[in-house]
Amino acid sequence: MPRARKGAARNKARRRILRSARGYWGTKSRHKQQAKVALTRAGQFAYRDRRARRREFRRLWITRITAACRMRGTRYSRFINGLQNSGIALNRKMLSELAIEDPKSFDRLVEMAEEKTTAQAFAR
Amino acid sequence: MPRQTTFAKPGEIAPSWHLVDADGQVLGRLATRIAVVLMGKHRPEYTPHVDCGDFVIVTNAKGIVLTGRKSEQKHRTHYTGYPGGLRSESYGSLIERQPERVITDAVRRMLPKNRLGRQMLSKLKVYSGNDHPHHAQQPTPLS
């Protein structure tokens, strides 16, 4: 069995790593070892943030619905409670988009929610 | 309906101007209301990475109210950099000396601590007296 040397394989591995680390800052895009570390971390962040993204967007929609509710003299919890009691199954994403694109429909939704709500009235 | 969540672009939302009379208002209660408007969280298009807030003018800052014994007990401290240079001033005397500063500080601490937060704070205009130089912007009372 002839002796296999590492040279070609090592160069290939280095090229593969540096290629996927393109655009990274400083040595992270130029040195194999730094690039390798950066890529591992990048993968971890990507994995974590794909999950965090869902939570962040839900938070944003809720903030927007809150703003739209307060403009109309109610509040988020009261509005959602009313929707639930009247069996309206629109999700928060669509509610927030409605509040921006179609304020008239949102007005109507607030009215419908107010009829069925069991939450206490606005304190202020 | 679009499949994607809408994001406001910078400059897409035209800011309006609001006017508040601080006379007789409690400091923190007023500051939260101002901070919401400066951040733009009062409109359904609110976008976290874009400054979509409005301008707020506060008049009569010298009439701001602190509840309890805060005007004697609450202090503003700063360090001059010299040994033994920790200076402290009660809020009571600060309100007499620089009432604008009291309101600006309270609001500043409620805003995001980053570049965007500083940009938002620059839209807050506080005056100790009854008048302000922004009549041309036609401010409406803050709801």
Side-chain angles (χ1 to χ4, degrees):
Chain A
M1 184 103 181
R3 191 167 75 94
R5 301 208 314 169
K6 190 74 199 270
R10 182 178 285 158
N11 280 338
K12 207 177 154 197
R14 180 172 169 274
R15 267 202 305 277
R16 182 175 53 77
I17 290 169
L18 288 184
R19 196 179 170 79
S20 38
R22 269 187 189 174
Y24 285 10
W25 196 87
T27 57
K28 288 177 191 171
S29 64
R30 298 189 185 96
H31 295 171
K32 179 184 162 195
Q33 185 51 42
Q34 270 85 334
K36 213 169 145 182
V37 174
L39 282 170
T40 313
R41 279 173 69 79
Q44 288 168 345
F45 287 134
Y47 179 87
R48 184 196 68 192
D49 290 340
R50 276 195 298 275
R51 274 135 196 91
R53 181 169 60 212
R54 293 170 195 134
R55 301 195 286 265
E56 281 166 17
F57 267 104
R58 191 180 161 94
R59 280 183 61 174
L60 174 61
W61 298 325
I62 290 175
T63 310
R64 287 179 171 177
I65 297 168
T66 306
C69 286
R70 281 177 185 265
M71 278 163 68
R72 293 165 175 83
T74 181
R75 65 182 131 82
Y76 174 78
S77 60
R78 199 174 146 83
F79 176 61
I80 291 289
N81 170 265
L83 289 187
Q84 202 142 49
N85 291 349
S86 43
I88 299 172
L90 284 170
N91 61 18
R92 281 157 184 80
K93 179 179 180 178
M94 282 306 130
L95 286 172
S96 73
E97 288 297 316
L98 274 176
I100 302 171
E101 305 288 338
D102 193 359
K104 289 252 167 56
S105 315
F106 198 85
D107 284 340
R108 187 78 193 97
L109 279 174
V110 170
E111 274 173 42
M112 285 159 79
E114 282 295 300
E115 278 168 27
K116 288 284 173 68
T117 193
T118 47
Q120 279 175 5
F122 218 20
R124 294 195 288 177
Chain B
M1 275 284 129
R3 248 176 73 92
Q4 279 187 335
T5 300
T6 311
F7 284 112
K9 294 195 189 77
E12 201 176 62
I13 295 173
S16 50
W17 288 67
H18 302 273
L19 180 66
V20 219
D21 187 352
D23 193 38
Q25 302 270 359
V26 179
L27 177 59
R29 307 270 163 190
L30 180 67
T32 50
R33 281 168 56 208
I34 296 173
V36 166
V37 173
L38 288 177
M39 288 188 284
K41 283 195 176 182
H42 63 305
R43 50 171 101 241
E45 304 92 341
Y46 169 73
T47 306
H49 61 279
V50 175
D51 179 10
C52 43
D54 288 343
F55 288 82
V56 180
I57 306 162
V58 182
T59 56
N60 289 321
K62 61 178 181 300
I64 199 84
V65 173
L66 293 176
T67 57
R69 295 181 57 200
K70 275 183 228 122
S71 43
E72 303 123 60
Q73 284 176 347
K74 190 176 166 72
H75 284 259
R76 192 186 80 88
T77 57
H78 64 102
Y79 189 61
T80 63
Y82 290 100
L86 183 65
R87 298 290 151 81
S88 157
E89 184 178 9
S90 78
Y91 260 62
S93 85
L94 193 63
I95 284 178
E96 263 177 37
R97 206 162 56 82
Q98 284 184 323
E100 302 93 339
R101 169 132 208 189
V102 174
I103 296 180
T104 317
D105 274 0
V107 174
R108 178 173 55 81
R109 290 169 187 149
M110 293 179 186
L111 293 177
K113 276 86 186 162
N114 53 25
R115 209 173 297 152
L116 196 60
R118 291 188 284 278
Q119 194 186 326
M120 288 165 175
L121 189 69
S122 69
K123 291 180 300 174
L124 174 66
K125 320 279 179 190
V126 190
Y127 301 97
S128 62
N130 202 9
D131 203 26
H132 62 85
H134 306 291
H135 291 289
Q137 277 72 32
Q138 295 165 347
T140 51
L142 184 72
S143 55

